[in-house]
Amino acid sequence: MTEQSMEPVEGAAARAERLRVFLVDDHAMFRAGVRAELGAHVEVVGEASSVGEAVTRIAATLPDVVLLDVHMPDGGGRAVLEAMRRTHPQVKFLALSVSDAAEDVIGLIRAGARGYVTKTISPEELAAAVRRVADGDAVFSPRLAGFVLDAFAARPDAPVADPELDQLTNREREVLRLLARGYAYKEIAKELYISIKTVETHVSNVLRKLQMSNRYELSRWAADRRLV
């Protein structure tokens, strides 16, 4: 694309700059696919497959937008957001996940993501979403936007923080959500790429923190909060 034209309107020139994007996802093949599809639209300045790696490398590269997976073996996108938002508020985050669960969407938005799209999005739509997030807009698919509206409209005067929920780690919330959906420990372990023993430990911690005695109480508690 040779551009000899002299139409350097300031805004157009700024938009012509390639956005610097960072990819966080624990699947290397997926990252490679996103990089290949977005390469014509943005500059992919780095990648990470874990929370710890993401926090270190995002701080080092300072991208415009981070495409953030929600569930990863050592935690999730929320952990990355919580580690980065206060120290690097200029970096914007767009969640890109297979999950369309309301709890995931709301949790990421509460943590500071500017948008949430699922992995069924087309490359063109994803490139447009990245641009809009970089420009300061919020971006959701219509169904996911409904979750956010419902969550905040249902309790307009309620504080964003939920003291009981906030005492749980991101991984404990993931285990709780799956438990409330009726998953067996073995299925939770497979879903989250952790051992059954680790699942048991997380469930034990959740029970202790919420002062409950069994998974049925946990499931009812999660359903009451619309976490399922």
Side-chain angles (χ1 to χ4, degrees):
M1 169 192 312
T2 52
E3 287 188 330
Q4 297 259 109
S5 76
M6 309 254 306
E7 40 183 354
V9 179
E10 291 183 358
R15 292 181 68 82
E17 294 177 5
R18 284 162 63 86
L19 288 172
R20 302 174 73 254
V21 173
F22 194 100
L23 309 179
V24 180
D25 194 291
D26 59 312
H27 293 98
M29 289 187 65
F30 180 77
R31 295 198 308 273
V34 172
R35 189 171 59 245
E37 295 289 354
L38 287 186
H41 307 282
V42 304
E43 179 185 1
V44 178
V45 296
E47 317 179 356
S49 61
S50 66
V51 172
E53 186 182 14
V55 170
T56 300
R57 300 194 64 188
I58 291 170
T61 54
L62 294 178
D64 298 305
V65 177
V66 176
L67 284 177
L68 185 64
D69 194 11
V70 176
H71 298 288
M72 292 185 285
D74 64 338
R78 184 171 179 137
V80 177
L81 272 165
E82 290 172 345
M84 301 298 302
R85 290 301 297 166
R86 280 185 296 179
T87 55
H88 298 81
Q90 75 277 29
V91 178
K92 296 182 173 65
F93 291 82
L94 173 61
L96 176 61
S97 174
V98 294
S99 171
D100 61 358
E103 189 237 347
D104 288 335
V105 178
I106 295 165
L108 266 289
I109 298 309
R110 279 179 168 164
R114 293 293 306 176
Y116 193 117
V117 295
T118 62
K119 290 181 177 177
T120 57
I121 193 171
S122 72
E124 294 75 19
E125 291 172 330
L126 181 57
V130 168
R131 172 65 67 184
R132 288 178 58 194
V133 166
D135 287 346
D137 292 341
V139 178
F140 304 93
S141 64
R143 170 177 153 80
L144 304 188
F147 289 156
V148 177
L149 290 174
D150 289 346
F152 290 98
R155 292 180 293 172
D157 299 323
V160 171
D162 181 328
E164 287 187 295
L165 183 62
D166 288 347
Q167 66 182 316
L168 305 182
T169 66
N170 187 59
R171 180 59 93 191
E172 287 167 351
R173 295 179 195 210
E174 292 174 329
V175 170
L176 171 60
R177 176 171 57 84
L178 295 176
L179 197 70
R181 288 180 175 181
Y183 282 52
Y185 284 10
K186 181 179 179 181
E187 294 170 322
I188 295 173
K190 183 178 180 182
E191 182 77 13
L192 299 179
Y193 303 99
I194 57 181
S195 69
I196 295 176
K197 185 69 176 177
T198 301
V199 174
E200 292 173 348
T201 299
H202 285 311
V203 172
S204 176
N205 289 340
V206 173
L207 287 170
R208 175 177 51 77
K209 289 180 179 179
L210 298 181
Q211 299 183 357
M212 296 179 187
S213 58
N214 58 59
R215 65 177 295 171
Y216 303 106
E217 287 183 272
L218 284 179
S219 297
R220 190 163 55 243
W221 184 89
D224 289 344
R225 280 172 164 73
R226 306 166 105 182
L227 300 178
V228 180

